[in-house]
Amino acid sequence: MVDNKVDKINSVFKNNMRKYGMAIALILIIGLFQILTDGILLKPLNITNLILQNSYILILAVGMLLVIITGNVDLSVGSVVAFIGAIAAKLMIEQNMPVIPVIIISLLIGALVGAWHGFWIAFVKIPAFIVTLSGMLLFRGLTMVILKGQTLAPFEKSYQILSSGFIGDIFGGQTFHITTLLMGIVFSLIYVFVEMKNRKDKIKYGFDVISMKLLIAKISLIVIVINLLTYSFASYRGIPNVLVLLFFLVVIYTFVTNKTIAGRYIYATGGNEKAARLSGIKTNKVLFWVYVNMGLMTALAGIIFSGRLNAAMPGAGNGFELDAIAACYIGGASASGGIGTIIGAIIGGLVMGVLNNGMSILGIGIDWQQAIKGLVLLIAVAFDAYTKSKSNN
Amino acid sequence: MATTKFLNREVVEMSEIILKMKNITKEFYGIKALDNVNLEVKKGEIHALVGENGAGKSTLMNVLSGVYTYGTYAGDILYEGKECKFTSIKDSEKLGIVIIHQELTLSPYLSAAENVFLGNEQAKNGIIDWEKTTTEARKLFKKVGLDEDPDAIANTLGVGKQQLIEIAKALSKNVKLLILDEPTAALNEDDSEKLLNLLLEFKKAGITSILISHKLKEVSKVSDRITILRDGATIETLNNDKNLSEDKIIKSMVGRDIVDYYPKRKHKIGDIFFEIKGWNVSDVADESKKIIDDVNINVRKGEVVGISGLMGAGRTELAMSIFGQSFGKKLSGKVLKNNKELKLNSISQAIDNGIAYVTEDRKNYGLVLIDSVKNNVSLPNLEKISKNSVINENEEIKIAEKYKSNFNIRSRDILQNTGDLSGGNQQKVVLSKWIFSDPDLLILDEPTRGIDVGAKREIYTIINGLAEEGKSILMISSELPELLEMCDRLYVMNKGRIVGELSKEEATAESVMKCIMKDNKEAEYGG
């Protein structure tokens, strides 16, 4: 009996270690830098900066995660980010096109680029590594052609709303951004409602649920984190627009991957393509749409990044693909496909973002930052492999 | 003086007993996979090791070959009278203990000869002597009766030949004790027969073999003694003589009498439900080559129809081409259901039209091994439990739990990955998955391959239940006794054609073989 209990606790710990390991690591890293930087890291201004600096990598990671779940990779996203920026700049600065059509056209072109890659990968069956490596060269080249090797700047002010704007305060709060605080409360309520509904449904089906006490503890913790975060934003300039966008992307894609047929098809295709196909899944269509989606996310990241730089540059987005891929792997995605979560990829991206930001505050050079990030990637994946081998035996 | 005497006695014993495994206990996280297992193998004998899946056969052999290194288990291994403490497979191979695993481990793009000498290259100063490699390989192939070019690439050869290459590889290591784990699981009757005869020849040459097998027929045919394992413990070692019946072995394996090995069903056969007319399929690689040639078959409601034939007769190809053209090119012919022609251009169309295909290769084509039982079961019919393409996960859990308990799927829970389950339980998950898709015609391709007696019977019971519900079942199997017992009617296939249709009364091993032989003869004279 006692043995059973110990075993159970052990297995719960082991399972959760795997599930929450990287989240715990993120908290530890934040704590470490909070101490090392004498509290600068979590200052409202810095949190805002952290989000703005990493938003485009996180958006890319959302798209990349789906690609990685299917067991593939997209090396072209850095070049495509630059390509989209160049097109937007060309349309806006040289053709004087208004903002809304520029954004729509950019997103469309992003999706087309994704469809281009998806076509070769899914229907002609050329390995994704090769197709997107070609895309990486192709779109970097096209960017330089469009920009004629020059930097195009500046964009219209309104183009930057997405990348550097903040939500307006309809209540006109003086010291605090009241809308932000309210949003925190509204999100908390929605969250509580969703958790309660899940519990009720589970009980309706007669399944085991965690005890009310534990649930309340869990809910309280998350509500506190949400409100601390919004409080922090409220004492600076409010919530950045890009964070709202990111929030919705995470919610939507988490929902799609966890709860919908499309999501299940993506996991099944990556887990065993042959078995998925024989189960009636059109795996080549799944692959194709995953790449179209990747293109769309890349376009979004391209718009935000060029807006943030307020310029389109031939060398923009260099190496973004590797940051996005690293975010997914650090967040527990499997290189052979079939495994990975959106939240994991976001956490992975944040781990790298906090490391960058923290080390920058400490005055550590970009050289060492790069090296340390490389080691973190290896350690994270090694840790994952280790816990996996433990839980398998 | 006393010492000499003692030694002498040991010598006598040694000449008789080549291997003695004493009180072997092996635990995995507190669960005993092997519990005080004892095994004695005499020199020069063929010793069979039988038991249900999970009885510990493979674990025991992994202990013996050094896959589980010394210290990770308790107990002693005495080989040729010496105590062995293997720290790797290399150690055991040095002493002439070679294991051939169930899943063949040839490197697919290397040649047959390269595979034989993999890790043991015929080299001088690190430079490979290709002539020696080829000639030595040829010698070894002759010994195992393999008539094949040593330069042939491994993955272009059939399973039977690949198996022989593995054995040639074992011979090249000067094998004294050969361990074969389910060597005939993937072989047809012909190749199985050849392999077993080869074992008998090895015996004459003084090589000792340990044969792990689920097929009791071959065990009683070739083995001298049989050790039975159950739930990680040795039950008994029997001498294989005339008095030994299969029933006795089965009883000892499962710990009870299996009264009816093939459970009975109520036959309620209805009208013709599915009909396949004038079915032709060409090879994917070579369109001029016909793989399926003018096949006409039908299945009635509630009927179990078997398709028998040798390996390569085109049975799997027939099934897969019907299942939404998942095999072949230039298909022609009709599939009728209730006299209405079906459109079957894709697998999803086939599923929508009530056709399900349970693959012969559950690991590669049947299951997503890194995903849960639950997600595997629901995969072909997610629409059924979804609203606006959002999956109702609670409903999904309920369904998975239902199949888990109805079909007795032994997994920790429905969230356990299917890759962690035993073969029999994996097969039950594959069946659940397709039964959940609610088919009218269920095509079963080798539904009991590589699974143990107990699980087999459970699968038969499931099949009977489906037939009684009025489903039409098309069953492909290389185990003829299984087809003869389970099927209401039997088609015999040969070289892509139907060469015989036998009622349950007409069907015997002889009558099936006759159909094939007659066809082969006609081809000889006709061509």
Side-chain angles (χ1 to χ4, degrees), chain A residues 57-118:
Chain A
I57 297 294
L58 296 179
I59 290 170
L60 288 176
V62 167
M64 189 65 79
L65 181 85
L66 300 190
V67 171
I68 285 178
I69 291 175
T70 65
N72 292 295
V73 75
D74 191 337
L75 298 175
S76 73
V77 296
S79 298
V80 179
V81 160
F83 180 66
I84 296 292
I87 286 177
K90 194 90 181 164
L91 290 176
M92 197 168 223
I93 297 168
E94 289 192 354
Q95 316 281 330
N96 291 318
M97 201 183 263
V99 174
I100 301 286
V102 167
I103 288 180
I104 291 173
I105 290 172
S106 301
L107 291 176
L108 222 65
I109 290 176
L112 280 176
V113 169
W116 165 258
H117 290 145

